[in-house]
């Protein structure tokens, strides 16, 4: 058994001891002497639902075992960027759009924080196919422990909130993937707790902690900075209001700076074109582009795209309804906490209506599901909770079935195929010895690997002398700076007739490697 699995087992054992201690009160949870027969049945049903969910998660964990690997393009980049840090102690993206990466660190579009975290974990436990899954499980378990330790929750509330988290389809689908959504469950619960304590106890230490956690979370996803808006309704005077508005303005401005400096821009993306207009002094064109982009995306946000799953649209509307529900409730009841979470959610919705990334939006907006679930459980909105839980229980089997066969099974099959494909691994390992040995080299992948391919996994990340190998994956057919390209990797059936610029140095059954000469 490998060391990460041993660590996870020991950690799980400690959690289990704590859970057993809590569940000694199960008799009181089911029947505390004041509940009706109907309430007894509902609480017992909730407990049974939680046990079923735990069994489902455990069954999937046993199924995936060690024969597991990424299948999506995003997963490949998370995976290989982290491996780049593990092998080279470099935060430069293994796969970038332009070969240069972000202004700072050279990270790719996902930023530097994920490779730093996952790569550092690998340096402690060594690199393993399952490291990402163990890390996801760790953050989920830590989140559940935090919930169980909440003193202002009774056991019923703890079990209810945990059930609401585990039954939400985003959690199981991304828990057993190489995507990085589970750490945001952790951040969402921590920030929800701190925000509640800010409004409940009015202590400055929680405000400081809230801002620190927001900053840390924003290193992974800059939009967390918008949560700083949640402090404004807590102000007790005009002076405090000004201070909190100033802090929020600084944090939101900082999120833009982080996006521009720490994350590689998408070559054909909206921000890239706006920045290009502004650099050329074409302010009117920048404004016109801004107006057109926002208008078009707002329509798509409301009615959805033709190829967008209907469930995505429904999810957005549920979140929007809850957002306005909390805002109206807060103003009517004069509850500042509800005004706060309503404002955070609404501002973020506006930002994402502006950007409109359907699949990404479902994942990013999931943090508000955790915030809303925490709020509903904390303030005991029984009817809303009953409706929400019923919807989730009904939709969980089909979404989980689809997620299992579309997300999890392909990763298992990919892992088995990769580990058994010794020819592929051996052929790609030859690249290391053929590249320049005295410096970092940049290789253009002329053919974009598709989801499910094994090529991404087999590419070496350092040459024979230990220098990093950076790859350009030109997804958007953007114009590249040819002067930084050292080599070109193509499919074996491709032929480069320009012998002046391209000289073949390695040919295998899986690829051809050309030395590129820039003129």
């Amino acid at each position: 058994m490998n060391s990460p699995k041993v660590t996870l087992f020991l950690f799980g054992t400690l959690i289990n001891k704590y859970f057993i201690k809590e569940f000694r009160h199960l008799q009181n949870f089911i029947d505390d002497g004041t509940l009706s027969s109907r309430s007894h049945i509902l609480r017992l049903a909730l407990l049974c639902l939680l046990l079923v969910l735990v069994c489902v998660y455990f069954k999937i964990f046993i199924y995936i075992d060690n024969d597991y690997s990424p299948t999506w393009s995003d997963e490949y980049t998370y995976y290989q960027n982290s491996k780049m840090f593990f092998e080279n102690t470099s935060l430069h993206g293994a796969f970038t759009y332009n070969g240069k990466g972000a202004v700072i660190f050279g990270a790719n579009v996902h930023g530097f924080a994920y490779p730093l975290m996952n790569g550092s974990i690998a340096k402690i436990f060594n690199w393993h196919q399952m490291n990402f899954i163990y890390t996801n499980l760790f953050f989920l378990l830590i989140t559940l422990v935090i919930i169980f330790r909440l003193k202002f929750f009774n056991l019923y509330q703890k079990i209810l909130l945990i059930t609401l988290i585990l039954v939400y389809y985003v959690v199981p689908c991304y828990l057993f993937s190489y995507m990085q959504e589970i750490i945001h469950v952790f951040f969402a619960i921590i920030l929800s707790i701190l925000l509640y304590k800010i409004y409940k106890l009015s202590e400055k230490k929680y405000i400081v902690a809230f801002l620190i956690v927001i900053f840390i979370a924003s290193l992974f996803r800059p939009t967390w900075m918008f949560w700083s808006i949640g402090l404004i309704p807590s102000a007790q005077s005009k002076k405090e209001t000004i201070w909190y508005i100033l802090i929020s303005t600084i944090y939101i401005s900082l999120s833009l700076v982080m996006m521009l400096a720490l994350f590689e821009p998408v070559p054909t993306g909206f921000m890239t074109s706006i920045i290009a207009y502004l650099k050329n002094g074409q302010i009117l064109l920048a404004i016109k582009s801004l107006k057109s982009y926002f208008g078009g995306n707002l329509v798509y946000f409301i009615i959805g795209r033709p190829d967008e799953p209907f469930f995505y649209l429904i999810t957005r509307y549920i979140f929007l309804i809850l957002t306005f529900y909390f805002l109206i409730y807060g103003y009517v009841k004069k509850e500042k906490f509800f005004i706060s979470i309503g404002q955070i959610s609404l501002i973020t919705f506006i930002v994402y209506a502006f950007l409109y990334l359907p699949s990404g939006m479902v994942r990013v907006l999931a943090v508000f599901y955790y915030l809303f679930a925490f709020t509903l459980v904390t303030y005991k909105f029984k009817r809303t909770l009953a409706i929400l839980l019923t919807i989730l229980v009904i939709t969980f089997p089909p979404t989980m079935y689809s997620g299992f066969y579309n997300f999890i099974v392909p990763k298992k099959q990919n892992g088995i195929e990769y580990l058994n494909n010794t020819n592929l691994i051996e052929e790609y390992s030859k690249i290391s010895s053929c590249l320049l040995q005295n410096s970092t080299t940049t290789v253009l992948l002329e053919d974009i690997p598709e989801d499910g391919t094994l090529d991404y996994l087999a590419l070496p990340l350092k040459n024979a002398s230990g220098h990093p190998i950076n790859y350009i994956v030109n997804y958007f057919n953007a114009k590249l700076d040819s002067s930084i390209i050292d080599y070109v990797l193509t499919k074996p059936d491709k032929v480069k007739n320009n012998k002046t610029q391209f000289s073949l140095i390695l040919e295998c059954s899986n690829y051809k490697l050309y030395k590129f000469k820039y003129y």
Side-chain angles (χ1 to χ4, degrees):
M1 187 179 286
N2 53 68
S3 56
K5 206 162 188 175
V6 171
T7 305
L8 187 67
F9 174 77
L10 294 174
F11 181 72
T13 302
L14 291 174
I15 293 174
N16 188 47
K17 287 182 178 180
Y18 184 79
F19 282 3
I20 288 173
K21 181 181 176 182
E22 283 282 342
F23 277 104
R24 286 174 185 169
H25 304 292
L26 273 181
Q27 179 62 40
N28 288 334
F29 166 72
I30 297 170
D31 183 5
D32 64 0
T34 63
L35 299 173
S36 65
S37 297
R38 182 169 174 270
S39 297
H40 298 164
I41 295 171
L42 289 175
R43 289 197 172 197
L44 186 59
L46 178 63
L47 184 61
C48 290
L49 174 60
L50 178 58
L51 292 175
V52 168
L53 290 171
V54 170
C55 289
V56 169
Y57 278 68
F58 184 73
K59 183 70 175 178
I60 296 172
F61 181 68
I62 295 299
Y63 167 78
I64 62 177
D65 198 31
N66 292 323
D67 303 322
Y68 212 58
S69 76
T71 54
W72 304 329
S73 56
D74 272 357
E75 287 184 302
Y76 288 128
T77 52
Y78 282 124
Y79 183 87
Q80 291 289 57
N81 288 343
S82 300
K83 196 173 182 180
M84 172 71 87
F85 184 80
F86 168 69
E87 291 189 4
N88 302 308
T89 317
S90 169
L91 291 172
H92 192 286
F95 303 115
T96 57
Y97 297 139
N98 58 18
K100 300 175 182 178
V103 175
I104 300 176
F105 300 130
N108 81 341
V109 70
H110 294 133
F112 78 94
Y114 296 116
L116 179 61
M117 178 184 72
N118 291 306
S120 298
I121 290 171
K123 282 182 179 292
I124 297 171
F125 296 109
N126 209 348
W127 187 262
H128 190 272
Q129 295 286 98
M130 291 288 288
N131 277 5
F132 279 68
I133 312 303
Y134 297 143
T135 303
N136 287 343
L137 284 167
F138 173 81
F139 279 111
L140 181 61
L141 289 171
I142 280 289
T143 303
L144 301 187
V145 169
I146 289 169
I147 293 171
F148 256 98
R149 289 183 63 86
L150 291 177
K151 293 181 180 179
F152 54 86
F153 270 12
N154 57 38
L155 185 57
Y156 169 70
Q157 289 174 300
K158 294 173 184 178
I159 291 177
L160 181 56
L161 181 55
I162 288 173
T163 303
L164 286 169
I165 290 172
L166 296 182
V167 80
Y168 186 51
Y169 76 99
V170 169
V171 176
C173 287
Y174 288 98
L175 174 67
F176 300 105
S177 80
Y178 294 82
M179 301 295 281
Q180 303 290 277
E181 301 311 309
I182 302 303
I183 190 174
H184 297 288
V185 182
F186 170 74
F187 285 135
I189 293 299
I190 291 290
L191 289 172
S192 298
I193 293 168
L194 289 172
L195 196 62
Y196 172 75
K197 289 190 173 183
I198 288 169
Y199 284 89
K200 194 72 175 177
L201 303 176
S202 301
E203 292 187 22
K204 299 294 182 186
K205 64 179 180 181
Y206 294 118
I207 294 175
V208 174
F210 184 70
L211 292 172
I212 290 172
V213 175
I214 285 176
F215 182 81
I216 294 170
S218 296
L219 296 176
F220 295 88
R221 184 176 288 164
T223 49
W224 279 110
M225 288 292 191
F226 288 93
W227 281 54
S228 60
I229 295 169
L231 289 177
I232 297 172
S234 71
Q236 302 295 324
S237 63
K238 284 187 177 180
K239 184 179 178 181
E240 278 193 2
T241 301
I242 293 170
W243 269 111
Y244 291 153
I245 290 174
L246 180 61
I247 290 171
S248 298
T249 303
I250 291 171
Y251 263 50
I252 292 171
S253 301
L254 188 57
S255 72
L256 180 60
V257 172
M258 291 169 73
M259 281 295 297
L260 295 174
L262 299 176
F263 295 79
E264 181 186 19
V266 177
T268 57
F270 162 74
M271 285 299 296
T272 305
S273 60
I274 291 294
I275 291 169
Y277 285 137
L278 293 175
K279 281 184 177 179
N280 295 328
Q282 298 170 303
I283 298 174
L284 290 178
L285 277 176
I287 295 172
K288 186 178 179 181
S289 177
L290 185 73
K291 182 181 176 181
S292 173
Y293 188 84
F294 180 71
N297 280 353
L298 186 60
V299 172
Y300 286 131
F301 183 84
I302 294 170
I303 65 174
R305 291 185 187 273
D307 58 343
E308 180 182 354
F310 184 66
F311 188 71
Y312 287 5
L313 186 63
I314 293 298
T315 302
R316 285 206 298 276
Y317 276 110
I318 290 173
F319 285 178
L320 269 174
I321 290 168
L322 286 172
T323 296
F324 285 107
Y325 175 67
F326 286 137
L327 271 174
I328 294 169
Y329 182 88
Y331 281 111
V332 170
K333 299 289 186 178
K334 294 184 174 22
E335 284 277 1
K336 291 184 176 182
F337 176 73
F338 288 91
I339 297 172
S340 171
I341 62 175
Q343 286 180 351
I344 294 170
S345 179
L346 185 61
I347 294 298
T348 308
F349 259 105
I350 292 171
V351 171
Y352 278 95
F354 179 71
L355 298 173
Y356 189 71
L357 303 167
S359 59
M361 192 180 297
V362 169
R363 292 184 278 113
V364 172
L365 294 182
V367 299
F368 292 105
Y369 168 78
Y370 312 126
L371 171 62
F372 294 160
F374 172 84
T375 303
L376 293 171
V377 171
T378 303
Y379 286 88
K380 301 176 182 177
F381 284 74
K382 294 181 180 179
R383 289 184 181 178
T384 309
L385 281 168
I387 294 170
L388 180 62
L389 190 56
T390 300
I391 292 172
L392 291 171
V393 169
I394 291 172
T395 57
F396 183 79
T399 53
M400 193 62 249
Y401 180 86
S402 174
F404 181 76
Y405 285 102
N406 291 319
F407 296 173
I408 296 170
V409 171
K411 293 179 188 19
K412 176 78 170 179
Q413 294 171 342
N414 223 40
I416 294 172
E417 186 180 351
Y418 175 70
L419 293 173
N420 291 330
N421 198 334
T422 54
N423 178 60
L424 179 87
I425 296 171
E426 288 175 4
E427 286 194 354
Y428 273 98
S429 66
K430 294 176 183 178
I431 293 176
S432 297
S433 58
C434 294
L435 304 185
L436 293 171
Q437 300 299 307
N438 58 350
S439 64
T440 298
T441 50
T442 301
V443 180
L444 170 64
L445 299 183
E446 194 169 73
D447 297 277
I448 307 300
E450 299 176 355
D451 286 355
T453 182
L454 302 178
D455 295 351
Y456 260 136
L457 295 173
L459 289 168
L461 297 178
K462 62 181 177 181
N463 59 28
S465 63
H467 289 87
I469 304 173
N470 301 323
Y471 295 93
I472 299 175
V473 186
N474 193 6
Y475 277 108
F476 302 95
N477 294 317
K479 186 177 180 181
L480 299 173
D481 180 1
S482 299
S483 65
I484 67 171
I485 300 173
D486 300 307
Y487 298 89
V488 176
L489 196 68
T490 72
K491 292 294 183 184
D493 58 338
K494 296 287 182 69
V495 178
K496 296 290 184 183
N497 295 318
N498 187 343
K499 304 297 182 182
T500 307
Q501 275 196 308
F502 299 94
S503 57
L504 182 65
I505 60 173
L506 184 60
E507 183 174 5
C508 301
S509 61
N510 287 288
Y511 63 84
K512 285 180 181 177
L513 181 65
Y514 290 89
K515 180 76 176 72
F516 178 74
K517 297 176 183 177
Y518 173 71
Y519 292 98

